Amino acid sequence: MRFGTLGGRLVLVKDGLALDVEDGGDVNAALGRFDELVAWAATADFSTGKAVTDAELGPPVPHPRQVFAVALNYRPHAAEAGFQAPEEPLIFTKFPSCIAGPVTEVTLPPGKPDWEIEVVAVIGRGGYAIPREQAWSAIAGLTVGQDLSERASQLRGTPAQFSLGKSFPGFGPIGPVAVTPDEFADRDDIGFECRLGDEVVQHGRTSQMIFPVDDLVARISAVCPLLPGDLIFTGTPAGVGNRRNPPRYLQPGETLVSRVDGIGEIRQTFR
């Protein structure tokens, strides 16, 4: 099942058609009834669906209550940043006001704006203290995300703080849809890449994570109850701009395309 939002309402998406979900005006509430949604989707009649493009879709979850993110969850990225691979997940947050749809124009703030492609987990029924062996059942789907980051703000201070520099308007684009885990041949091994113009700047597979998706759900939910519609940005691989020699940052007029196999792509143009 593939789902997203259109005009702020939850829709199923199939073959270029969007089908409105009954009682889909409250996306978080609908995801909280995820078993009912899956059962309804199994027999949904797309004859009344509306033709839709990625540019018309909004973020799969427009108003998440919690947005978690994971630092240094790929060994090559930890190495390029000059750190040892962590023994425990390094969790921070992006503030929900940064969440945006799949095709956007982003105003660059002053400083050093950078890219980070991520696979994002969308929480469905959620829960508290979820055992790892049950973690996938708490997830509604996976989507494409960019953890856009203004490095000067992010790394200012001793110790550095992450959240504000990663939460400028439009710095959390996700989409174009979320895809239920059963749709993937191997939900633990999904390929992805990020292109800036014609250059592939990042690529990887989720099987390379230090802490896989189900492990993250179990560890985060041991502290914070995961609520329907919450997002987990699961980490980025090597290839970010500020670790290049010389460093490279996003510029007005550039376009960043982030793609995850089996989901699709998001596209950000900068001004």
Side-chain angles (χ1 to χ4, degrees), residues 2-271:
R2 305 169 73 86
F3 64 90
T5 62
L6 185 62
R9 291 185 58 84
L10 188 66
V11 293
L12 302 185
V13 180
K14 181 180 179 181
D15 299 329
L17 296 176
L19 181 65
D20 189 71
V21 173
E22 185 177 355
D23 297 326
D26 186 334
V27 175
N28 293 340
L31 292 178
R33 302 187 300 273
F34 196 66
D35 291 338
E36 296 176 25
L37 177 61
V38 170
W40 178 81
T43 58
D45 180 7
F46 272 83
S47 64
T48 59
K50 175 184 176 182
V52 68
T53 65
D54 288 354
E56 295 173 300
L57 292 169
V61 182
H63 303 292
R65 285 169 284 187
Q66 302 182 103
V67 181
F68 300 94
V70 187
L72 307 182
N73 200 22
Y74 290 80
R75 294 182 190 277
H77 177 51
E80 73 175 354
F83 295 100
Q84 295 291 324
E87 296 182 359
E88 297 286 337
L90 304 175
I91 307 297
F92 61 96
T93 188
K94 291 172 74 74
F95 294 109
S97 58
C98 77
I99 298 301
V103 181
T104 58
E105 188 175 72
V106 181
T107 299
L108 294 173
K112 301 175 179 179
D114 202 350
W115 59 84
E116 293 189 15
I117 186 174
E118 312 221 0
V119 175
V120 179
V122 178
I123 300 301
R125 63 180 64 87
Y128 179 60
I130 303 167
R132 182 173 179 178
E133 60 270 19
Q134 299 175 19
W136 277 107
S137 67
I139 297 170
L142 301 176
T143 193
V144 188
Q146 263 290 338
D147 177 17
L148 296 174
S149 306
E150 196 287 291
R151 301 299 189 190
S153 299
Q154 174 192 345
L155 302 176
R156 184 178 298 128
T158 304
Q161 63 85 27
F162 276 29
S163 298
L164 284 179
K166 291 172 171 281
S167 297
F168 285 90
F171 267 37
I174 57 173
V177 293
V179 179
T180 51
D182 62 289
E183 294 281 335
F184 298 95
D186 185 346
R187 64 193 183 188
D188 292 303
D189 183 30
I190 302 169
F192 55 87
E193 73 170 27
C194 172
R195 288 180 283 117
L196 185 58
D198 295 329
E199 180 185 357
V200 175
V201 291
Q202 287 184 286
H203 62 89
R205 304 193 67 84
T206 57
S207 56
Q208 298 166 333
M209 287 182 184
I210 300 170
F211 305 102
V213 173
D214 56 348
D215 193 18
L216 292 173
V217 167
R219 290 172 183 264
I220 294 171
S221 72
V223 178
C224 299
L226 291 175
L227 308 174
D230 285 355
L231 303 176
I232 303 176
F233 283 69
T234 59
T236 199
V240 296
N242 75 323
R243 298 302 176 182
R244 292 172 175 257
N245 187 17
R248 179 179 177 185
Y249 299 107
L250 295 166
Q251 301 295 323
E254 291 186 315
T255 296
L256 186 69
V257 178
S258 309
R259 181 173 183 81
V260 176
D261 294 346
I263 302 176
E265 67 181 34
I266 62 175
R267 180 180 297 265
Q268 277 57 61
T269 302
F270 301 96
R271 66 180 183 186

